[in-house]
Amino acid sequence: MAPPRNRRPGFSRRAQYTVFAAYVLAATGAFVGAILLIISVIDPRAFASLRGAVREVTTPLSTGLDWAWDGVASVPRGIGDYFGAVDENRQLRAREEATRRYLIQARRLNRENMRLRVLLALRDRSPAPVVSARLVNSSASSTRRYATLNAGSRQGVRRGQPVRGPNGLIGRIVETSPNTASVLLIIDTASIVPVRRTRDGLSAIVAGLGDGMVEVRSAGIANAAMLAGDVFVTSGAGGIYPPGVPVAQVARSGRDVVQARVFADPDGLDFALVERAFLPSPVPRPTPDATPTPAAPAPE
């Protein structure tokens, strides 16, 4: 006789402990999630501090994994070069393989030096750079597009400072902790960047779409023609982003509102430069003291 299919876990203590542990973990996760949700609603500042603490813990891990991934990614290239070398003479084949490895290393170092020279030239042209730091991760699959920078308030990073790379604008700082900062990317739906067209100075606004693309909206002229290949740079309006930083290039011709591709793809960047805001924050005006009311004369 075949055993019943729906056997209860009571026949084994190991099964009982497994089911009990699963219920405890589920209840604990729901309880912790409810507490975090309540904190985010009641005290957003405390929740932001909690997020900063989590970033402080996860950023070193992300940095280590990033370096490890670079090492792992170079392995297939070396294996392919090794098995791709075919020569009848064993000695010449060994020399060719050694020469090939040196050539690959030299090309890699040359590309790295070129990238660092571009970043160094950008730092020299920047009026007041704050710090050059590494982008350790970015939210590529989320509806919100953020990146984490491994530099924070101890290095002089503050909210509202623009972040740029060798190819163009990346975003701006929205949260800081002692050694990390959160960058709102220009491809996020909450990002708005005032820009102008390079060929005629047309004023426009670049808004993120959340899918890696941005939307260019004409700001001054109705039914303005946008041509494929038009380049838009920051205009300096708003006081955050300095003028002249490349932002996006129109992908397809249209009028008033078109889609464009950003020059600085966050998924392909490793280092970024944090700059000071283009214009300093306005100093709040002092509130005048209320005029004292004269006291009524005492009766005689």
Side-chain angles (χ1 to χ4, degrees):
M1 180 177 179
R5 296 182 180 178
N6 54 349
R7 299 179 65 184
R8 300 178 60 186
F11 72 95
S12 172
R13 289 198 175 272
R14 179 179 297 179
Q16 290 178 353
Y17 292 152
T18 302
V19 173
F20 178 75
Y23 287 151
V24 170
L25 291 176
T28 303
F31 180 73
V32 173
I35 291 177
L36 293 177
L37 180 61
I38 293 173
I39 293 176
S40 65
V41 174
I42 297 177
D43 192 354
R45 292 186 178 180
F47 191 69
S49 301
L50 183 60
R51 285 201 304 266
V54 173
R55 286 199 306 270
E56 288 290 323
V57 175
T58 57
T59 296
L61 297 176
S62 299
T63 305
L65 291 175
D66 189 72
W67 286 107
W69 174 254
D70 290 341
V72 172
S74 63
V75 173
R77 184 185 307 169
I79 295 176
D81 293 336
Y82 178 79
F83 289 102
V86 178
D87 200 325
E88 295 181 357
N89 190 304
R90 182 172 300 179
Q91 182 179 3
L92 293 178
R93 185 171 54 201
R95 291 181 181 178
E96 183 181 357
E97 184 62 25
T99 304
R100 189 187 300 272
R101 288 198 300 267
Y102 290 140
L103 181 59
I104 291 175
Q105 184 177 6
R107 288 176 178 175
R108 181 179 61 83
L109 292 176
N110 186 33
R111 289 195 298 267
E112 182 72 10
N113 289 335
M114 291 179 61
R115 186 183 60 80
L116 292 177
R117 282 198 298 268
V118 172
L119 191 62
L120 182 61
L122 174 63
R123 185 182 179 92
D124 293 337
R125 293 195 302 268
S126 180
V130 176
V131 67
S132 177
R134 190 178 183 91
L135 287 168
V136 297
N137 57 48
S138 61
S139 54
S141 60
S142 174
T143 55
R144 302 305 306 273
R145 303 305 301 269
Y146 291 94
T148 301
L149 203 68
N150 66 346
S153 56
R154 290 181 181 175
Q155 291 77 30
V157 180
R158 301 289 183 268
R159 290 184 58 185
Q161 291 176 341
V163 181
R164 60 186 296 187
N167 297 329
L169 186 65
I170 298 174
R172 59 184 172 88
I173 303 295
V174 292
E175 281 187 6
T176 60
S177 57
N179 295 301
T180 65
S182 182
V183 182
L184 177 69
L185 303 177
I186 60 174
I187 56 178
D188 185 83
T189 54
S191 173
I192 299 293
V193 181
V195 296
R196 60 178 176 82
R197 189 161 54 187
T198 55
R199 62 184 175 90
D200 58 1
L202 174 70
S203 298
I205 292 175
V206 168
L209 296 177
D211 58 354
M213 301 285 287
V214 294
E215 192 176 68
V216 181
R217 309 169 186 168
S218 174
I221 301 177
N223 203 25
M226 306 281 190
L227 303 180
D230 281 349
V231 175
F232 287 84
V233 298
T234 54
S235 63
I240 296 180
Y241 307 104
V245 180
V247 177
Q249 186 175 26
V250 175
R252 184 178 299 177
S253 300
R255 290 189 176 274
D256 283 342
V257 180
V258 293
Q259 290 190 2
R261 297 183 178 88
V262 296
F263 286 106
D265 183 9
D267 297 331
L269 296 175
D270 48 4
F271 284 94
L273 187 69
V274 181
E275 297 180 336
R276 302 186 187 278
F278 177 53
L279 296 177
S281 302
V283 178
R285 296 181 179 179
T287 304
D289 297 333
T291 304
T293 304
E300 296 181 357

